[in-house]
Amino acid sequence: MSDTTARPDLLSWTCPAPVRDRPRVVMGHGGGGAMSAELIEQIVLPGLGGPVQAALTDSAVVELGGARLAFSTDSFVVRPLFFPGGSIGDLAVNGTVNDLAMSGARAAYLSCGLILEEGIELDTVSRVAEALGAAARAAGVRVVTGDTKVVEAGHGDGVYINTSGIGLIPAGVDLRPERVTPGDVVMVSGAIGVHGVAIMSERENLRFEVEIESDCAALGGLVDAMLSVTSDLHVLRDPTRGGLAASLNEIAAASGCGVVVQERAVPVPQPVAGACAMLGLDPMYVANEGKLVAFVPREHADAVLAAMKAHPLGSEAAVIGETVTDHPGMVVARTGLGGTRVVDMPMGEQLPRIC
Amino acid sequence: MSDTTARPDLLSWTCPAPVRDRPRVVMGHGGGGAMSAELIEQIVLPGLGGPVQAALTDSAVVELGGARLAFSTDSFVVRPLFFPGGSIGDLAVNGTVNDLAMSGARAAYLSCGLILEEGIELDTVSRVAEALGAAARAAGVRVVTGDTKVVEAGHGDGVYINTSGIGLIPAGVDLRPERVTPGDVVMVSGAIGVHGVAIMSERENLRFEVEIESDCAALGGLVDAMLSVTSDLHVLRDPTRGGLAASLNEIAAASGCGVVVQERAVPVPQPVAGACAMLGLDPMYVANEGKLVAFVPREHADAVLAAMKAHPLGSEAAVIGETVTDHPGMVVARTGLGGTRVVDMPMGEQLPRIC
C-alpha cells in the first residue's frame, strides 16, 4: 500500500530518537510507536521499579479469588470529541472492551474517570455520557464506578476520559505473542485505516466524495465467535495507535518470529486509500478502533476465518500473511510489484490524539 | 471547630445552585460536594442511562468468576505535583487503595493511566513514576497495566494520573451506609484537615512555624486491623474532597440516620487549626488523604478503637460522635460552647484540585 522510499515525509519516523536526547515530552511520546515504547521502558518502568510488574501492557492477566481476570486501562484524549461514526464516549467504552477482548476476556465491568475542563457546556458532558451509555449497552458491559475531576480552563480540552475494565478469561485461553510460532497464519478482521482518516478529515475539515466514518466498535462478540472455533488462538491485537504496522512489529519482536505480509491482501477501502495518498499517510500506520489482527495456528486458520466472516464485524476478514523463521522480529511486506519492503515500527505520531 | 455564621466567606457553599442553572462546568463541580453530586445525578447518570448501574460510587462491589471484588477508579489532577509529605504519585496509589479499603478490600492490582502535557520534563515524569512505585510497594499493591497519552501544551498541566484498582472483599464483610443504624459509634482514625492545608500552603507559598505535611497514606493495613476485631463494621469512608463534612453527610443521607458530632472530640492539629483560621477554612471541609471515618456497632466500638490505636496510622484515633434517630439525614455538631450547628454538605470547592 505504500513505499517508504517514495514518501520522504515518512522518513523522519525511522530516525533513531532515543529518550535520552529529549529532555521533555513531545507529542510523539503519545503516538503508540517506538517513542512511546522508549518512554515506558526508559522512564516509567524504571521509575516504578522493584517488584512492580515489569511489563505495563495494555491488558494484564491476573489471578484474584481463584478467577483468572483481564484488567486494562486507557485514557482518551481524542480531538474532536465527536467525529463521523463515533465520539470519545464510544472510544472510551470500545477501547477498553477491545483491550480485554484481546486477552480473550469478555468485558464485564468498566470504570469511568472524567477530567472536565472548566467552561465546557454541560450539554456536551451529557452527550458524551449518552454515547458512553449507549456504547456500554451495545457491548454488554456495565459502568459500575466513576470519578469526576474539574481542571481550570486552559488545562484540559473539554473532556478527557479514562476507562478501566475487568473481565473473565475462559479456561484454556492463553493469548500472548510468545505463543506465536513460524507458520502461523496472520489475518485481520476487516478494512484498516478507517478510524484515523475519519478523525483527520473531521479535524482538518476535509471532504471526500464518500464520507469516511470511524470503524469504532466493540470486538467482544467477534472474539467469542473466534474462540468458539478453538481456544488455541496464539495472539490477538487491536491495531489502534501506530496502526497495523505497530501491532505486527510488537508481535514480531515479542515472538522472535518474522512476519511476512502480502501487501495486496491487506484490505484498505478505496476512499481511505485515496485520502491517505492525499494526506501523505500510509494506511498500515493509521489507527483502527474496530479491527483486530489474529495470529492463528495453520490447522485452525480456515475455520477461524470462516467464523470471523460469519460475524457482522468480521465480514471483510482476510488472511494477510504468515510468520516465518527468516528475519526474526522483523515485519516485511511483499509489494504488488513483487518486491519486498521492511514495515518499520513507527517512531512517533502520525496523527496525534487519535483516541 | 468553626461556626458558619461567623464565616461569611463560607456562606456561598450553602446557596442552592442546581445544575440546570449552570450551562457550563465550573470548578465547583469537581469539589466533591453538592455540586459534584448534582453533576453526577443530573447529567452523567441520566446520560449513561438504561441498564448501566445506577450509582457511580467511588468503589463498586462486583461478582466475577465466583469472587466478590471491589473495583474503583480515581483521576488525580493535584497542583502542584509535589507538595510537603507527598506527590501526585503517592496520591494516585493511596487514593485508589483507600477507596478499595473502604469496601473492606485489600488492593491487589492497580492500573495507571498517564496524561502527559507536551513540554513537561522527562525528569518530572521519572520522579512521578518513582513516587508511584514507592507508594505501591508500601501499600503492597502491584501496578500491572498502564496507558500513556500526550496532549499539546496548554491542554494539560504536566501530569494527570488515573489509577483504577481491584481487590478481594473477605467473606462476611459488607460495608455500606445503608447498614448504619441509630446508636452506631462514629470514629476517625486521626487528625483531620492536614492534606488540604499542606497543599494550600505549598500552592500559596505560605510558611507556618511548623511545616504541615500531607497525611497521604495507604489505609489497607489499618482496615485489616479493624476487620480482625469484627467483620461487622457498618461503613468506612475516607474523607477526601469535601472533607469529613461531606463524608458524614453522604452517610447520613444514605442511612437515614442523624449524625451528632462532638466538635471538641474531632482531632485537629494546632498548626492546621491556625492555618485554617488564617485562610478562612473550616477543617471539617478540608480534604484528608490518609484518614478514615468509621461507623461501628456500639458493642464493637471499644475493641475497634483499640485496634486502630494500636496501628501506626490510627494512633490518634478518636470517637467523635454517634448516630441518632433525631434529624434523619442531617449532621449536627455540638459546639464547645454547648450549642449545636448544622454541618452542611459543602456546595462547591473550597480548595480546587486538591487530589
Side-chain angles (χ1 to χ4, degrees), chain A residues 122-184:
Chain A
L122 287 169
D123 180 56
T124 303
V125 180
S126 186
R127 287 171 62 207
V128 167
E130 282 165 14
L132 263 162
R137 285 188 291 282
V141 63
R142 289 173 66 202
V143 180
V144 293
T145 184
D147 176 61
T148 306
K149 294 292 192 300
V150 179
V151 294
E152 298 90 347
H155 289 296
D157 201 1
V159 182
Y160 296 148
I161 304 179
N162 176 283
T163 55
S164 301
I166 51 178
L168 264 184
I169 301 175
V173 172
D174 181 21
L175 300 172
R176 47 196 172 85
E178 295 78 9
R179 295 195 60 224
V180 168
T181 54
D184 279 3

Side-chain angles (χ1 to χ4, degrees), chain B:
Chain B
M1 288 298 137
S2 76
D3 185 341
T4 300
T5 58
R7 293 263 172 81
D9 53 309
L10 298 183
L11 286 179
S12 62
W13 295 359
T14 60
C15 299
V19 155
R20 62 183 172 278
D21 296 338
R22 298 167 177 268
R24 292 178 183 273
V25 168
V26 297
M27 293 305 292
H29 286 126
M35 287 178 63
S36 290
E38 285 174 1
L39 177 70
I40 303 302
E41 287 160 16
Q42 295 179 31
I43 302 288
V44 178
L45 289 181
L48 289 174
V52 175
Q53 185 152 315
L56 281 185
T57 55
D58 271 355
S59 174
V61 177
V62 299
E63 294 269 342
L64 199 53
R68 198 162 60 113
L69 308 179
F71 179 30
S72 181
T73 194
D74 247 328
S75 296
F76 297 87
V77 298
V78 67
R79 184 169 56 86
L81 296 176
F82 300 90
F83 47 81
S87 71
I88 191 171
D90 300 281
L91 285 179
V93 169
N94 295 335
T96 292
V97 164
N98 292 351
D99 280 345
L100 296 173
M102 298 307 112
S103 293
R106 192 66 182 258
Y109 303 107
L110 289 189
S111 66
C112 173
L114 302 173
I115 299 178
L116 306 178
E117 185 187 13
E118 181 190 23
I120 184 180
E121 291 181 0
L122 286 169
D123 180 55
T124 303
V125 180
S126 186
R127 288 171 63 209
V128 168
E130 283 165 14
L132 262 163
R137 285 189 290 282
V141 63
R142 290 173 66 202
V143 180
V144 293
T145 184
D147 175 63
T148 305
K149 295 292 191 300
V150 178
V151 294
E152 300 89 349
H155 289 297
D157 200 2
V159 182
Y160 296 147
I161 304 180
N162 177 284
T163 56
S164 301
I166 51 177
L168 264 185
I169 300 175
V173 173
D174 181 21
L175 300 171
R176 49 198 168 85
E178 294 78 9
R179 293 195 61 225
V180 168
T181 54
D184 279 4
V185 175
V186 181
M187 47 187 84
V188 293
S189 63
I192 67 161
V194 186
H195 174 73
V197 170
I199 294 285
M200 197 59 168
S201 56
E202 179 71 12
R203 202 186 285 169
E204 304 300 331
N205 205 22
L206 304 175
R207 287 289 167 266
F208 304 106
E209 280 182 33
V210 184
E211 182 172 66
I212 299 170
E213 292 200 342
S214 170
D215 59 346
C216 187
L219 296 171
L222 176 63
V223 171
D224 284 354
M226 296 167 71
L227 288 172
S228 73
V229 174
T230 174
S231 61
D232 190 29
L233 307 176
H234 283 167
V235 72
L236 301 177
R237 199 63 67 97
D238 59 330
T240 56
R241 286 181 293 175
L244 186 58
S247 291
L248 294 178
N249 270 280
E250 284 168 15
I251 294 169
S255 68
C257 290
V259 175
V260 176
V261 174
Q262 302 296 332
E263 212 169 55
R264 292 218 159 152
V266 178
V268 181
Q270 188 48 49
V272 170
C276 282
M278 200 173 97
L279 296 166
L281 303 174
D282 180 339
M284 291 282 281
Y285 292 89
V286 174
N288 313 274
E289 292 292 342
K291 298 295 165 5
L292 63 80
V293 56
F295 284 58
V296 182
R298 190 162 295 272
E299 63 268 32
H300 300 305
D302 290 347
V304 169
L305 186 68
M308 291 168 83
K309 283 175 171 292
H311 190 278
L313 293 177
S315 58
E316 296 177 54
V319 170
I320 61 165
E322 62 182 336
T323 50
V324 295
T325 52
D326 290 346
H327 52 78
M330 189 177 283
V331 181
V332 166
R334 293 245 156 80
T335 66
L337 301 173
T340 62
R341 65 175 180 105
V342 172
V343 179
D344 272 321
M345 184 72 166
M347 178 57 66
E349 97 292 356
Q350 186 169 239
L351 302 169
R353 294 182 53 187
I354 205 74
C355 62

Side-chain angles (χ1 to χ4, degrees), chain A residues 114-279:
Chain A
L114 301 173
I115 298 179
L116 306 180
E117 185 187 16
E118 180 189 23
I120 184 182
E121 292 182 1
L122 287 169
D123 180 56
T124 303
V125 180
S126 186
R127 287 171 62 207
V128 167
E130 282 165 14
L132 263 162
R137 285 188 291 282
V141 63
R142 289 173 66 202
V143 180
V144 293
T145 184
D147 176 61
T148 306
K149 294 292 192 300
V150 179
V151 294
E152 298 90 347
H155 289 296
D157 201 1
V159 182
Y160 296 148
I161 304 179
N162 176 283
T163 55
S164 301
I166 51 178
L168 264 184
I169 301 175
V173 172
D174 181 21
L175 300 172
R176 47 196 172 85
E178 295 78 9
R179 295 195 60 224
V180 168
T181 54
D184 279 3
V185 175
V186 182
M187 48 187 84
V188 293
S189 62
I192 68 160
V194 186
H195 174 73
V197 170
I199 294 284
M200 198 60 168
S201 56
E202 178 70 13
R203 202 186 283 170
E204 305 300 331
N205 206 20
L206 303 175
R207 289 288 167 266
F208 304 107
E209 278 183 36
V210 183
E211 181 172 65
I212 298 170
E213 293 201 343
S214 169
D215 60 346
C216 186
L219 296 171
L222 176 63
V223 171
D224 283 355
M226 295 166 72
L227 288 172
S228 73
V229 173
T230 173
S231 61
D232 189 31
L233 308 176
H234 283 168
V235 71
L236 302 177
R237 200 62 66 98
D238 59 329
T240 55
R241 285 182 292 174
L244 186 60
S247 292
L248 293 177
N249 272 281
E250 283 167 17
I251 293 169
S255 69
C257 290
V259 175
V260 176
V261 174
Q262 303 295 333
E263 211 169 56
R264 292 218 160 155
V266 178
V268 181
Q270 189 47 50
V272 170
C276 283
M278 201 173 96
L279 296 166

